[in-house]
Amino acid sequence: MYYIQKISVKNYKSLKDNSIDFWPNKTVFVGKNDVWKTNILKAIRVAFWNKKIKKTDFYDPQKKIEITLELNISKKTYEIFVQAMIVNNEVLCEIIVPKAIKKEYRKMELIYIPADRKYQKNDPNSWYYKLINLILKNKENSNLEKKYIDKINWLWQLDKLSASKNTTLLISLLELYLHTIKDVKNEWFKLFILDQPENFLHPHATKLIDNLLWEISELQNTQILYSTHSPDLVANFKKKVYEISDIVFVKRDWEYTSTKKIENKNWKYDK
């Protein structure tokens, strides 16, 4: 089993010095607008995907950015470490992956879905491209009906859409992914990061995407992390399976972001 169990961040954007523990299947970051929840998601993306660090990403340009991602693989913990500094007005960045997991690290998949849902169809790092490629890989190993194959081919041909239609497209792709992965052995880690999945959705559709995220998070070697300020996306608990301990509360303390994870020992919190 693969999952991210913790991240420690120093000097990255509004994250001055933060450590956050994760639930193995799904963790939700909850907070008001403008508390910089997205910066947490971006820090994970930097460590997981080696996303480029810019000068504007430094909370204090005189100090290093340090990000440590703890990855649990078959009950063993490995640390992926990223550091960056500004030297002669240039950003120097280094990522250190333990030799023991370099093969696994190269095969891990990150699907980062931004709040604005923008995508570039021919960009291999865009959420749209990655998600369709995952579906097509699953299709090769599953008994997929022709109607689903036709739908995938149609989705692949779509050009740029409005933000609301992009969210509808996202729901369709997540449904297709869930349908195709069920018959496939999911050997490598897949991490889905979504920034405000409820954006542009009617409350009924919010419930739909919530259920989709639950189902995907319960797949083997799959983890979902997302930020939200929607009550509908944090109300669907499962007693003694997923509880309030899935939630990380995010708030803004002057110029930096602080987080708090509730410990739900003995399941004392109810819905």
Side-chain angles (χ1 to χ4, degrees):
M1 182 179 181
Y2 295 75
Y3 67 94
I4 296 170
Q5 64 184 27
K6 185 175 182 178
I7 189 170
S8 300
V9 186
K10 292 182 179 180
N11 202 43
Y12 179 75
K13 293 184 177 288
S14 62
L15 304 171
K16 188 177 180 181
D17 190 354
N18 300 72
S19 291
I20 303 168
D21 296 311
F22 299 105
W23 195 260
N25 297 82
K26 180 169 81 91
T27 302
V28 185
F29 298 95
V30 179
K32 298 178 181 179
N33 279 328
D34 200 29
V35 297
W36 300 308
K37 299 184 296 295
T38 302
N39 290 346
I40 300 170
L41 305 182
K42 288 182 176 179
I44 299 164
R45 182 174 61 165
V46 165
F48 195 90
W49 191 10
N50 199 12
K51 184 71 175 176
K52 186 177 179 181
I53 294 175
K54 300 174 290 187
K55 285 186 283 187
T56 53
D57 291 335
F58 288 77
Y59 180 85
D60 181 348
Q62 304 301 317
K63 297 180 180 179
K64 293 180 181 179
I65 287 175
E66 295 181 345
I67 303 173
T68 303
L69 197 68
E70 292 185 12
L71 188 63
N72 189 299
I73 301 178
S74 301
K75 297 182 179 180
K76 292 183 179 180
T77 300
Y78 300 90
E79 290 188 350
I80 297 169
F81 179 70
V82 177
Q83 69 173 359
M85 65 186 80
I86 300 175
V87 179
N88 296 328
N89 211 32
E90 295 290 331
V91 177
L92 302 181
C93 186
E94 179 184 24
I95 181 166
I96 300 171
V97 180
K99 187 176 180 180
I101 64 164
K102 281 191 174 179
K103 179 182 177 182
E104 287 86 349
Y105 181 76
R106 285 194 294 267
K107 290 182 176 288
M108 293 173 187
E109 293 278 1
L110 168 64
I111 298 89
Y112 185 94
I113 302 165
D116 59 17
R117 305 291 181 261
K118 288 182 180 179
Y119 66 87
Q120 293 179 328
K121 189 162 65 172
N122 297 318
D123 179 2
N125 290 319
S126 74
W127 68 267
Y128 179 79
Y129 189 100
K130 282 195 163 192
L131 195 45
I132 286 189
N133 269 342
L134 284 177
I135 292 167
L136 292 173
K137 286 178 186 177
N138 295 339
K139 183 199 74 171
E140 295 172 1
N141 299 301
S142 63
N143 298 317
L144 198 63
E145 298 96 325
K146 185 178 183 300
K147 64 179 180 178
Y148 288 106
I149 297 174
D150 291 342
K151 189 173 184 180
I152 294 168
N153 291 333
W154 176 74
L155 290 171
W156 189 246
Q157 300 302 318
L158 288 177
D159 208 340
K160 290 185 177 180
L161 303 172
S162 65
S164 59
K165 288 182 179 178
N166 282 343
T167 298
T168 304
L169 172 63
L170 171 62
I171 292 175
S172 297
L173 289 173
L174 290 175
E175 285 182 323
L176 273 171
Y177 174 76
L178 191 59
H179 183 83
T180 57
I181 195 67
K182 285 181 177 178
D183 297 327
V184 178
K185 187 178 180 181
N186 190 24
E187 296 181 352
W188 302 107
F189 182 45
K190 294 179 177 62
L191 176 65
F192 291 81
I193 297 180
L194 298 94
D195 195 359
Q196 299 183 39
E198 75 279 6
N199 275 7
F200 316 111
L201 291 180
H202 184 277
H204 174 74
T206 298
K207 187 69 173 178
L208 174 63
I209 200 168
D210 182 37
N211 289 333
L212 276 171
L213 296 177
W214 277 114
E215 289 189 65
I216 292 173
S217 72
E218 291 177 328
L219 294 170
Q220 181 185 23
N221 296 328
T222 303
Q223 189 174 17
I224 285 186
L225 311 173
Y226 62 82
S227 69
T228 183
H229 44 75
S230 166
D232 295 321
L233 275 178
V234 295
N236 191 19
F237 297 120
K238 295 184 179 180
K239 190 69 174 177
K240 296 195 177 182
V241 179
Y242 300 108
E243 276 275 352
I244 201 165
S245 52
D246 302 354
I247 296 173
V248 176
F249 291 97
V250 184
K251 67 177 183 176
R252 179 173 173 175
D253 289 334
W254 194 240
E255 293 182 343
Y256 61 91
T257 297
S258 66
T259 59
K260 180 181 180 181
K261 192 171 190 290
I262 288 187
E263 293 298 328
N264 196 21
K265 293 180 180 177
N266 302 318
W267 309 99
K268 74 174 183 176
Y269 293 104
D270 60 18
K271 185 171 180 179

